[in-house]
Amino acid sequence: MKKILYQLFYLLGFVVLFYFSYLAYQSYEKQKMDLFRVYPGIFFFSLTFVLIGLYFGLPQLLKTIKIKGRLSVNKSKLIIFGLPTLFLTLYPLFYWNGTFLAIRNIEINQFVFSAGFLNFFSFFFGFVLISSFEKKD
């Protein structure tokens, strides 16, 4: 019974998170209609899916915290998986600022700017960020 309640609260948290992201998206769309700004949209889409990834990895972090030992960060996981996904999550920001980090190939940019690509890597970055915590004896 306790496990079922835990899962129901976890599901309720997902619903609340999606609802607030929907409200934020509507607010962004209204603002875009009034005065078009690129940066709030980039920030919104990146942050929303990073938060969803963090929330998705939360049960794993809670299990890790319950284990006896010293909490540490898996730095190799953050470097190997976290940095590339962070770069891909922030790539639109690099592109619109015109920094040297942006790739100047039209086909690559069309692929990167597709919604599924950015959403996936934003989600994956959030999950890697929270799941890189581990306990060591």
Side-chain angles (χ1 to χ4, degrees):
M1 183 68 178
K2 185 178 176 182
K3 191 171 186 174
I4 292 173
L5 284 175
Y6 171 75
Q7 290 174 348
L8 284 175
F9 280 120
Y10 187 68
L11 178 64
L12 180 66
F14 260 126
V15 170
V16 168
L17 185 63
F18 278 112
Y19 178 71
F20 281 120
S21 66
Y22 173 73
L23 290 178
Y25 178 74
Q26 279 190 331
S27 173
Y28 163 70
E29 284 295 318
K30 184 180 178 203
Q31 178 187 11
K32 187 171 82 170
M33 296 298 265
D34 295 339
L35 178 64
F36 182 72
R37 294 183 185 172
V38 174
Y39 295 113
I42 293 169
F43 179 74
F44 167 75
F45 287 116
S46 297
L47 182 64
T48 300
F49 284 94
V50 169
L51 290 175
I52 292 170
L54 287 170
Y55 191 78
F56 191 78
L58 189 62
Q60 181 179 348
L61 178 66
L62 293 175
K63 286 179 185 176
T64 303
I65 289 174
K66 289 180 182 178
I67 299 171
K68 291 187 179 188
R70 193 171 140 216
L71 191 63
S72 64
V73 177
N74 187 343
K75 293 176 185 126
S76 62
K77 185 176 186 179
L78 279 177
I79 291 170
I80 292 170
F81 293 110
L83 286 179
T85 55
L86 176 63
F87 172 76
L88 292 170
T89 299
L90 297 177
Y91 182 78
L93 189 63
F94 299 142
Y95 179 80
W96 289 108
N97 280 335
T99 62
F100 68 95
L101 296 171
I103 300 167
R104 300 294 175 210
N105 186 318
I106 294 172
E107 290 84 19
I108 292 174
N109 285 326
Q110 285 177 344
F111 177 70
V112 169
F113 282 118
S114 66
F117 184 85
L118 290 174
N119 294 347
F120 172 75
F121 280 105
S122 297
F123 172 84
F124 191 66
F125 172 69
F127 183 76
V128 166
L129 194 62
I130 202 164
S131 67
S132 64
F133 291 100
E134 56 189 25
K135 289 274 183 133
K136 291 186 177 179
D137 293 331

